[in-house]
Structure formats: C-alpha cells, structure tokens
Amino acid sequence: MTVSPLTYLSRSGVAVWLDDLSRPLVCTGGLARLVTETGVVGVTTNPSIFAAAISAGVGYEDALRAHAAAGDDAARTVHALTTEDVREAADVLRPVFDATGGRDGRVSIEVDPRLAHDTDATVEQAAALWAAVDRPNILVKIPATRAGLPAIETTIAAGISVNVTLIFSLSRYREVIDAYLTGLERAWDAGTDLATIRSVASFFVSRVDTAVDRLLAQSEHADAAGLLGTIAVANAQLAYRQHLETVSTSRWRTLAAHGAHVQRPLWASTGVKNPAYPDTLYVDELVAPDTVNTMPRKTLDAVVERGRTTTDGVDTITSALPRAAERVATLARIGIDLDEVTERLEREGVDTFLASWTDLLTSVEQALTTARTESQEDGQ
C-alpha cells in the first residue's frame, strides 16, 4: 500500500492543516474525509477565505434568508455565519483534538481585520469569539501588528488559545514569542492551568518571495539571480532557529515545568505564487518537528501527488540553517532590505484582509436586501 507524503510529513513532526473552510465543505462530509483519508488535523481561516465562501452563496441561502427575516444587518449576519462554520468544523475535528490531547484538531477564526490597530478592541473581540464559538478546540487569530502584540499577551493571559497571524519578519517573530511567554507567565500568576492554553505562530512564506523576487529581478548584482525563489524559505527556516533557541532558554523551561505547551511555528501562505517554482516548494523545504503547515486545497493535493517527503523523520530545516543565513546575508549585500520588505508585507496583509472583509460585508448586505425583497414579493 502506497503511503502518502502527508503521512510522512506527520511522522516527521509536521501537523498538516487545511487553509480553507466553507459550509459545503463541512456539510457534505468533505472535511471529515480529509481528516480520515489524508491526515488533515486542523483548519485555518481568514477574512479572504470567508469572503470567497460566503460571497459564493452556495450552502448559505437558507441562513441568509433567515437573517434577512430577522432584520439582521450584514455585520451581525457575518458574525453568525462565520462562528457557526467554525463551530461545525471544530465538531468534525473534535476526535483529533481528543486523540492528540489538544495539540491538534484546531480550527482558527480571526478577529475583525478593522481592529488590527486597536489593542483593546482586539482583546474584547477575541474573548467574544471564544465565547461565541464555545468550543475548546478553536484558536482565535490575532495579527502580529504593533497593536496586536499586547492583545496577544492579554488574550493568552486570559487563558484563550491564540493563532498569531501575519508574521513576516524575524524581529516581529521575536516579539510574538515574548508576548506568548509573558502571557503564559501572567496566566500562571493568575492561577490558570497552563496546559489548557495552546498557540501557533503563523509565519507567512510565499508572499516574501513574491516581493523579494521583484526586487531581485531589478538588480544588476551578480548574485541576484541565484537568490530568486530562495528568500521566503530561508526567512522561515531562520524563524525556526529562533523557535529552537526559545525552547532552550531557562524562561521556557520554567513555563514548561508548569505545564505550558510550546508555541509551534505555523507555515502559512504556502501556495506557490510563481508557476515556475515547484508547487510543493513551501512544504518540502519546511519539514521539521513541532511545526504546522497549513495548505490551500490545491497545495494539499499537489503534496499528495508529488511531495518529496517520502520517509519518516525528515528534517529539511536544521541542516539548511547555515545556507539560509548566508542567503539572507547575501540579500543584504545586494542592497535589498528584508526588514523593509517585511514591514510593507505586514501593512499589505492587513489591507488585503480588510478589503476582503469589506467586500464580504457588502455582498452579504446585498444578499440580505435581495432576500427581503423576494420575501415581500412572495407576500403580495
């Protein structure tokens, strides 16, 4: 019997999550089949995913009519639809959650992207989402913006599990790690059982290559061409080095002794944007213990068909760290400022999710208006 590369990824310490969610995926049994047949052990969502799913309308018709009849506005309707989808997906994944002691079987739901620069409002909505979904196996996604960092710390301190999203730079990742550890320390001081808190740090990958490659293509430096398609992986691999350094500190060992769980690096944005690159690039090159790779369905299928992880215990990161550091150093010598690139990517990431959320609210408002009009016409 042929063993899928996804199975070998799992055996090598990589949790395979799906970066997609829709009502039809859950209601038709598609998600359950992915769990049982391919080894998917988690789901991530973001405003763009929900915008695509709900705007398509398929599977949401009855719910939209019900909300229209109740007089709900677009914001209330979107909140209800997204939390219900996450709740249903969490129920599908609950056996995984139980079997792994809470490590996996997780579904993520993101705070309103309009709050990305508002610490207090983010903290408030994170708690509200946690309560609204009312499942132990969710993660509330909070962006790693400057305002998001204290929100992450406070939310962790409150005992709420967090998926920190939109991480692009090593410097910001260090701040995310500190926010997580400080949040755990506050939770311990408050008497919270640290074993109940989980977190992942979502480090975005492909967008880095898209941005850096554009600059490399404009460079006349002799080393520029050799770096094309390499910096996103190198950046993520160096993030994993920071993770390893963190878990070797006395600060972490103290928290672990109190029952704390490691904050796993999660590789996000792993769908390849450049068709010239292997479509499994951001999976094959980022295999190591205690990591998560969340894949769009297209990438997941590609890994099943031609993923290069075909043995147990693979680690494509640790041995590559010297090369990763050299590539980033070479990029700096060429004159490309990676920090500047990643700062821009963070801003663009927030703007992209904000635009998706705005489009979603607009399309839902239109659907509600249509449903109300049809109801009035039926009543005449």
Side-chain angles (χ1 to χ4, degrees), residues 172-250:
R172 184 51 56 88
Y173 182 39
R174 278 192 291 271
E175 294 175 309
V176 167
I177 292 171
D178 182 68
Y180 177 57
L181 299 183
T182 303
L184 288 175
E185 289 162 346
R186 288 174 56 187
W188 173 253
D189 289 341
T192 302
D193 180 3
L194 300 188
T196 64
I197 303 172
R198 295 279 184 168
S199 182
V200 294
S202 294
F203 207 89
F204 279 48
V205 185
S206 66
R207 299 186 195 185
V208 174
D209 269 344
T210 300
V212 173
D213 281 2
R214 190 178 302 117
L215 298 175
L216 288 170
Q218 297 169 0
S219 174
E220 298 180 356
H221 196 284
D223 294 328
L227 292 182
L228 289 168
T230 69
I231 299 303
V233 166
N235 193 44
Q237 289 173 336
L238 294 177
Y240 186 72
R241 183 176 66 181
Q242 288 186 185
H243 160 73
L244 294 178
E245 291 170 350
T246 298
V247 298
S248 68
T249 63
S250 59

Side-chain angles (χ1 to χ4, degrees), residues 37-170:
E37 297 174 8
T38 67
V40 166
V41 293
V43 169
T44 51
T45 66
N46 60 48
S48 297
I49 287 172
F50 277 130
I54 299 175
S55 297
V58 179
Y60 296 93
E61 299 91 343
D62 291 344
L64 287 168
R65 283 192 289 268
H67 284 287
D72 292 338
D73 62 11
R76 181 183 293 274
T77 301
V78 167
H79 174 80
L81 296 179
T82 55
T83 53
E84 183 175 345
D85 282 358
V86 169
R87 186 181 305 112
E88 295 295 325
D91 288 344
V92 172
L93 283 158
R94 183 58 187 266
V96 176
F97 173 82
D98 293 336
T100 61
R103 179 178 175 87
D104 287 304
R106 298 276 177 171
V107 184
S108 296
I109 183 168
E110 190 154 347
V111 298
D112 187 328
R114 294 173 295 184
L115 307 179
H117 303 298
D118 188 329
T119 300
D120 292 341
T122 295
V123 170
E124 182 178 352
Q125 193 181 66
L129 286 172
W130 182 260
V133 178
D134 192 26
R135 295 294 186 271
N137 55 323
I138 72 163
L139 295 167
V140 178
K141 292 182 76 173
I142 298 176
T145 57
R146 176 59 53 193
L149 293 170
I152 292 160
E153 176 188 323
T154 299
T155 303
I156 290 292
I160 296 173
S161 296
V162 174
N163 176 342
V164 183
T165 189
L166 285 178
I167 308 171
F168 293 96
S169 71
L170 299 179

Side-chain angles (χ1 to χ4, degrees), residues 277-357:
Y277 299 155
D279 50 7
T280 62
L281 174 65
Y282 303 125
V283 179
D284 295 332
E285 301 298 326
L286 296 173
V287 181
D290 281 332
T291 60
V292 179
N293 196 308
T294 186
M295 310 175 202
R297 182 59 187 269
K298 183 178 180 181
T299 302
L300 185 77
D301 292 342
V303 172
V304 171
E305 294 177 6
R306 48 191 169 272
R308 296 207 313 266
T309 302
T310 55
T311 57
D312 294 344
V314 173
D315 182 340
T316 60
I317 296 181
T318 306
S319 61
L321 288 174
R323 181 179 58 189
E326 177 56 30
R327 283 173 170 166
V328 171
T330 302
L331 186 72
R333 288 198 297 271
I334 289 175
I336 296 176
D337 188 333
L338 187 56
D339 287 338
E340 183 178 293
V341 171
T342 53
E343 286 174 9
R344 186 178 75 251
L345 286 172
E346 180 186 300
R347 293 193 299 271
E348 292 174 351
V350 172
D351 290 344
T352 296
F353 284 167
L354 178 57
S356 295
W357 199 252

